Amino acid sequence: MDLQLDQLRALDAVISEGTFEAAARRLNVTPSAISQRIKALEDAAGRILVQRTKPVQPTDSGLTVLRLARQIQLLSGDTARELGDAHQPTDRPVSIPIAVNADSLQTWVMPALGRAATHGVCFEIHREDEEHTTRLLRDGTVMAAITSTATAVQGCSVRRLGAMRYRPTANPEFMRTWFALGASAKSFAVAPVILFDRKDDMQFRLIRQYTRKPLNPPRHYIPSSAGFADAIRLGLGWGMMPDLQLRPDDALIPLDDKAFFDIPLYWQQWKLDSPALTMVAETIAAAATAALR
């Protein structure tokens, strides 16, 4: 199977940008040239690689080739920088897509990315729950991910970073209103709870731990890590808040001093001999050592 580099770049651009026109602008060619390259790539692969929808979507076969395309582009960028390619200057950033859970991104990951960016790297961050980031690794959307999954995705390496501790937390007025007699099935059934999104089951795990039965309390959905913490501070509800988000001036109170969840975090990345990817991994690992349990 003869896959040309310009065809692989066209596939990456089409999937990343969502349309043939946007891909053409990114690569400084015509939409017709993009269409021809995709057609030639599909002929070489012997199957359809993209669904001509808006936005363009990869087929299952397309995901496999997309992963190859992004691996080759990363290695090509590394090589060009080492050789000082006149067509790709040594100060040209290497782009690395990463999947990160919202709480890590809000607290300890951003400073690490800032340090890595000084070494000529750009990031495309995909925010996803730590239990679901491995899906983005499997389909080739990202090259690395912070995940709660210890089992390596096929073609990836894995290393433990540490754990984030979460505690059930509320503001004092909320506690007096809803948990005056302590945490119980009765109070959990009626006290408003804050959820990040519909994938977030940490609060209900705690409820089941206390009550041994399903409950259906009022709930707020706030899909922002900072907004989630602010909602707890404002008394909208209680929620599982990471220790790393507690501020020195917080008057927040845990529902139970002994209740907490330690969520283990791992770094998974493609098995590639890429200096840029290795540098990012080491920077993330150093930041995790300083911030996590």
Side-chain angles (χ1 to χ4, degrees):
M1 185 165 53
D2 185 17
L3 305 181
Q4 302 297 315
L5 185 56
D6 63 341
Q7 298 167 3
L8 294 171
R9 285 175 175 160
L11 177 66
D12 180 31
V14 164
I15 300 303
S16 298
E17 302 297 331
T19 67
F20 281 55
E21 292 76 15
R25 288 193 295 271
R26 172 170 155 178
L27 297 181
N28 295 315
V29 297
T30 65
S32 176
I34 293 293
S35 181
Q36 291 172 16
R37 291 176 188 181
I38 295 297
K39 180 63 168 60
L41 186 61
E42 290 179 326
D43 288 344
R47 60 198 69 193
I48 299 297
L49 301 179
V50 299
Q51 300 171 1
R52 271 71 169 175
T53 55
K54 287 193 175 181
V56 173
Q57 296 291 331
T59 63
D60 289 344
S61 298
L63 288 173
T64 300
V65 180
L66 178 64
R67 181 184 175 98
L68 171 65
R70 290 178 172 170
Q71 289 175 338
I72 290 176
Q73 289 203 71
L74 175 63
L75 295 176
S76 295
D78 282 335
T79 302
R81 287 163 56 81
E82 290 182 22
L83 295 176
D85 188 333
H87 298 290
Q88 182 163 329
T90 55
D91 61 353
R92 181 186 179 92
V94 175
S95 181
I96 298 181
I98 302 174
V100 184
N101 62 303
D103 290 336
S104 292
L105 188 63
Q106 178 69 28
T107 53
W108 63 274
V109 167
M110 283 301 295
L113 297 182
R115 290 189 290 274
T118 63
H119 295 273
V121 175
C122 283
F123 297 102
E124 180 183 348
I125 301 300
H126 296 255
R127 192 202 69 198
E128 182 57 275
D129 182 86
E130 64 272 9
E131 296 182 358
H132 300 274
T133 49
T134 52
R135 172 182 58 82
L136 300 178
L137 273 172
R138 289 190 183 92
D139 66 21
T141 300
V142 300
M143 299 176 185
I146 293 174
T147 174
S148 61
T149 303
T151 302
V153 171
Q154 184 176 5
C156 293
S157 62
V158 59
R159 68 195 292 180
R160 183 180 171 89
L161 296 174
M164 289 188 73
R165 176 162 290 184
Y166 290 77
R167 302 177 193 271
T169 307
N171 79 10
E173 183 178 351
F174 185 90
M175 289 289 289
R176 288 190 292 270
T177 301
W178 299 101
F179 291 96
L181 300 179
S184 66
K186 183 177 180 180
S187 57
F188 277 125
V190 296
V193 61
I194 300 173
L195 306 176
F196 186 85
D197 56 24
R198 284 172 171 76
K199 297 177 184 176
D200 179 12
D201 72 341
M202 198 180 304
Q203 286 70 212
F204 289 106
R205 284 170 53 194
L206 185 87
I207 289 174
R208 290 192 297 270
Q209 195 175 87
Y210 273 84
T211 67
R212 306 299 180 186
K213 59 183 179 181
L215 297 177
N216 188 32
R219 63 201 70 180
H220 302 283
Y221 292 98
I222 303 180
S224 157
S225 184
F228 186 99
D230 287 342
I232 294 175
R233 294 186 177 100
L234 293 169
L236 273 70
W238 71 272
M240 299 298 294
M241 188 167 172
D243 283 357
L244 289 175
Q245 278 192 286
L246 291 172
R247 302 192 302 233
D249 60 343
D250 271 335
L252 299 177
I253 301 172
L255 272 61
D256 183 339
D257 289 330
K258 298 179 181 179
F260 60 85
F261 289 141
D262 283 341
I263 305 300
L265 296 177
Y266 302 86
W267 174 261
Q268 294 208 34
Q269 69 175 58
W270 291 352
K271 289 181 179 178
L272 289 178
D273 186 15
S274 163
L277 193 54
T278 298
M279 180 275 296
V280 172
E282 294 303 324
T283 305
I284 290 289
T289 297
L292 303 181
R293 291 180 174 271

